[in-house]
Amino acid sequence: MELNDALRTTGAIRDFRPDPVPDEVLHRVLDTARFAPSGGNRQGWRVVVVNDLATRVGIRDLYLAGWHEYLAQLEAGLVPWAPITDEQAEARAIADAPGVAERAAQGPGGFAEHLDTVPVILAVLADLRVLAAVDKGADRYTFAGAASIYPFTWNVLLAAREEGLGGVITTMPIRREHDVKVLLGVPAELAVAAVIALGYPSHQPRRLTRRPVEEFTTVDGFDGPPFAP
């Protein structure tokens, strides 16, 4: 599809038809996504296609543990795990996660509860030996190394869109990274970067809501005038 259209309409998809995704289609998606940029062209991503049912259930359960903590923080009016936040309020909210889990168990469940049934589950790993983390050792939250990994995950969604698929990138399993690595047999020098769910969407959104350029772009300084033509 036309690039601008893809960029403007590729949103997060969490509701899929039950149709399986053929291996040749998924292979084409990954074959296109691999052209993502990375520092030094070191391509530090690794992908695990999770087909085994027991492993899928394990990924789901580890996802849910973090998801309930996430919901508890939202209920407390917090941005979940924001690097700058009220740490005490965050801790209190996370302590309430079991109650959130209990309430969630009484409903039909959504994406999180049924993650094991999505057509495609990809675990994306980052090789920490090849990331140029230029903010390593900074006295703030660090993220520069991820610039060599997450363009690949976004490419996966764009390539999937070309194949009529939809999907979502989630980092929730990182909350239980050790257990995810044990489940997948991941070596110590690699980290869990994301899980991507893919499938044929039940509904493909055509209109996304995003802030206009003038709200996030200024000229000649943070306090400069909004950039506009």
Side-chain angles (χ1 to χ4, degrees), residues 87-100:
E87 300 288 346
Q88 293 182 338
E90 180 181 275
R92 288 194 300 269
I94 291 175
D96 290 336
V100 173

Side-chain angles (χ1 to χ4, degrees), residues 6-158:
L7 291 172
R8 288 174 174 267
T9 62
T10 302
I13 302 292
R14 297 178 177 86
D15 189 16
F16 307 102
R17 305 200 308 264
D19 313 54
V21 176
D23 284 350
E24 57 268 26
V25 173
L26 179 57
H27 191 276
R28 285 201 300 269
V29 168
L30 296 172
D31 190 46
T32 298
R34 66 190 173 95
F35 289 95
S38 62
N41 196 30
R42 285 183 286 272
Q43 304 167 56
W45 50 80
R46 286 288 303 272
V47 179
V48 178
V49 181
V50 184
N51 288 331
D52 178 72
L53 180 57
T55 306
R56 282 170 158 259
V57 170
I59 293 288
R60 178 203 66 193
D61 291 347
L62 294 170
Y63 183 102
L64 280 170
W67 176 240
H68 296 144
E69 294 175 349
Y70 180 96
L71 293 178
Q73 290 172 83
L74 286 182
E75 289 183 2
L78 301 171
V79 175
W81 298 295
I84 299 176
T85 192
D86 183 332
E87 300 288 346
Q88 293 182 338
E90 180 181 275
R92 288 194 300 269
I94 291 175
D96 290 336
V100 173
E102 184 177 345
R103 293 193 298 274
Q106 298 172 5
F111 171 78
E113 289 78 9
H114 301 289
L115 176 60
D116 55 308
T117 68
V118 303
V120 174
I121 296 177
L122 304 177
V124 181
L125 311 172
D127 189 336
L128 302 180
R129 298 167 298 184
V130 302
L131 301 186
V134 298
D135 54 358
K136 180 180 178 180
D139 59 357
R140 56 145 176 84
Y141 173 78
T142 63
F143 53 84
S148 288
I149 300 297
Y150 290 120
F152 168 77
T153 64
W154 175 233
N155 264 18
V156 169
L157 290 193
L158 289 177

Side-chain angles (χ1 to χ4, degrees), residues 180-229:
V180 173
K181 291 177 67 172
V182 170
L183 183 66
L184 299 177
V186 178
E189 59 269 19
L190 272 73
V192 179
V195 165
I196 302 176
L198 295 175
Y200 294 101
S202 298
H203 169 71
Q204 177 62 60
R206 300 296 304 173
R207 184 184 297 273
L208 304 179
T209 302
R210 300 290 188 267
R211 293 183 296 155
V213 172
E214 292 78 5
E215 285 192 17
F216 61 83
T217 310
T218 55
V219 179
D220 289 334
F222 184 83
D223 294 327
F227 174 74

